[in-house]
Amino acid sequence: MAITTTILVTRLSALGDVAMTIPVMKQVLDENPEVQIVFVTNKNWGALCAGIPRLVFFPADVKGEHKGVPGLYRLFRSISRQYRISAVADLHNVLRSRIVRTFFRLTGKPVAVIDKGRAGKKALTRKENKVLAPQTSTIERYALVFRQLGLRCTMGRQPVFAPQPLPERVSAITGVKAAQRWIGLAPFATYREKMYPLAKMEAVLADLVKEATYRVLLFGGGKNEVALLQELAARYPQAVVVAGRFSLEEELALISQLDLMISMDSANMHLASLYGVPVVSVWGATHPYAGFMGYGQSEDNVVQITDLSCRPCSVFGNKPCFRGDHACMEWIKPAQIVEKVIRAIG
């Protein structure tokens, strides 16, 4: 079928948030064969779009060429010169995306914008009179934006991508997967409030490597995280540091081969979800009820303290613990995580 509609989609944020858009855009394209999507996002996230027909990655450099209002106008002009945009789907709804969508709206293009459900999330995270109720998932909020534009989008739980073969550069470090079961361990998060204490996570690792059929691959990013993981791996020969060694494309191929991922409420949960890899996710200051559970993931694999009246205290984990003791993470026992892993991986 010929392409008759080109939808501009904007989501200029962090890797995890962008990864959550992929299942929705894939579903839109599957159900609307006359549509193509031009996806404007961080210039480093192009690998997420690979292999999806009619999904066009359009890199944005908001700290360089596309910085500020003049830069965003250059972005608008560049898109307009290359594509005949039919409508705009703003999946971000922040100042930058508002400016871009305004340029298109001024040219008469229809615009649909995500409703972030701020009121419900505020009630969920406030200290007093907390309303502990599940909010509409971010995945569903993305889907609603496309429906506003008259497009079909019926979300399921099927993986977006099939497993990918390991590049030789990756298998040279990880080895070739044979009888072993591969477990990814991603112990870091942007904020301390979302991170299980590393000493406790080491206890998880120590327990897992007792099983000879498990091989644990340590994920992370940044020099400091890589250094900490190298120290950890030095004490556990069955663990391999993969953090900081591969491109995003190579890392995605590696994630696709995992039997399970252990992750915080962070990007690796969402990357694993694209391949249908089960994730044992550990939650502290944040909560699955805020809507950021990994696509297609089971709540049975969530690890969290459920009897703390202060949880959740923020949507993104960016507020300091007002108790000062990080009980939401500190009270989780390593054995609770290990038990979930064994149950999930079989």
Side-chain angles (χ1 to χ4, degrees):
M1 180 179 290
I3 293 171
T4 59
T5 304
T6 299
I7 306 296
L8 178 73
V9 176
T10 56
R11 180 81 211 200
L12 298 165
S13 53
L15 179 58
D17 296 318
V18 173
M20 293 182 80
T21 69
I22 302 298
V24 183
M25 293 191 293
K26 172 70 159 51
Q27 188 64 32
V28 169
L29 292 168
D30 285 349
E31 290 190 54
N32 302 270
E34 77 286 0
V35 169
Q36 76 170 348
I37 290 174
V38 176
F39 185 36
V40 177
T41 190
N42 185 299
K43 63 179 182 177
N44 298 314
W45 308 152
L48 292 174
C49 302
I52 300 180
R54 294 177 284 118
L55 178 58
V56 180
F57 169 63
F58 200 104
D61 182 8
V62 296
K63 294 183 179 179
E65 180 185 1
H66 304 131
K67 184 178 180 179
V69 176
L72 293 172
Y73 183 72
R74 280 194 293 274
L75 178 62
F76 158 72
R77 291 290 297 157
S78 181
I79 297 166
S80 299
R81 282 194 296 267
Q82 296 182 54
Y83 300 97
R84 182 177 290 180
I85 300 300
S86 308
V88 177
D90 183 353
L91 303 186
H92 203 175
N93 198 14
V94 295
L95 182 59
R96 288 190 182 106
S97 66
R98 289 172 199 152
I99 291 170
V100 172
R101 81 186 190 221
T102 297
F103 289 141
F104 281 98
R105 180 176 273 147
L106 291 172
T107 66
K109 306 303 180 188
V111 172
V113 182
I114 188 171
D115 174 3
K116 294 184 176 180
R118 288 189 174 94
K121 290 175 182 176
K122 185 176 181 179
L124 176 69
T125 57
R126 64 194 178 198
K127 287 185 184 180
E128 307 294 335
N129 302 312
K130 187 184 295 294
V131 180
L132 194 62
Q135 303 300 297
T136 302
S137 73
T138 300
I139 294 285
E140 180 61 15
R141 291 185 189 278
Y142 289 158
L144 285 168
V145 177
F146 290 101
R147 292 179 201 139
Q148 288 175 43
L149 295 173
L151 298 171
R152 294 176 294 279
C153 184
T154 308
M155 295 306 302
R157 299 173 64 89
Q158 292 299 311
V160 178
F161 300 115
Q164 301 177 33
L166 280 186
E168 287 185 15
R169 203 170 80 87
V170 176
S171 59
I173 293 169
T174 62
V176 177
K177 187 176 180 182
Q180 285 182 318
R181 297 194 175 189
W182 283 9
I183 299 173
L185 176 56
F188 300 109
T190 305
Y191 304 106
R192 179 186 175 187
E193 281 67 26
K194 294 207 299 183
M195 199 175 97
Y196 192 55
L198 196 57
K200 291 178 180 289
M201 190 58 86
E202 180 172 354
V204 173
L205 175 61
D207 210 343
L208 290 176
V209 297
K210 291 176 184 176
E211 173 56 63
T213 61
Y214 292 168
R215 186 167 183 77
V216 182
L217 307 178
L218 304 177
F219 289 80
K223 291 183 179 180
N224 185 52
E225 291 183 4
V226 170
L228 289 170
L229 292 177
Q230 287 173 338
E231 291 176 16
L232 201 57
R235 297 192 285 274
Y236 303 94
Q238 275 181 264
V240 179
V241 177
V242 297
R245 306 180 83 160
F246 307 123
S247 67
L248 178 57
E249 183 178 10
E250 291 168 329
E251 193 161 296
L252 288 173
L254 177 56
I255 288 172
S256 80
Q257 292 288 333
L258 296 178
D259 294 288
L260 181 135
M261 171 72 83
I262 304 169
S263 174
M264 309 299 102
D265 170 19
S266 62
N268 282 289
M269 171 175 61
H270 300 297
L271 297 179
S273 297
L274 296 177
Y275 297 92
V277 174
V279 179
V280 170
S281 54
V282 185
W283 301 72
T286 59
H287 197 290
Y289 277 7
F292 292 96
M293 186 73 171
Y295 167 71
Q297 294 296 332
S298 170
E299 291 187 11
D300 291 342
N301 294 336
V302 169
V303 183
Q304 60 183 336
I305 299 295
T306 57
D307 56 355
L308 266 173
S309 61
C310 56
R311 279 196 71 234
C313 60
S314 72
V315 175
F316 305 110
N318 55 346
K319 296 179 180 178
C321 174
F322 71 85
R323 288 173 52 111
D325 63 354
H326 296 91
C328 58
M329 281 298 191
E330 293 287 350
W331 290 5
I332 295 173
K333 295 178 174 60
Q336 292 175 261
I337 299 175
V338 173
E339 181 184 350
K340 293 276 187 180
V341 170
I342 293 171
R343 187 180 301 167
I345 204 169

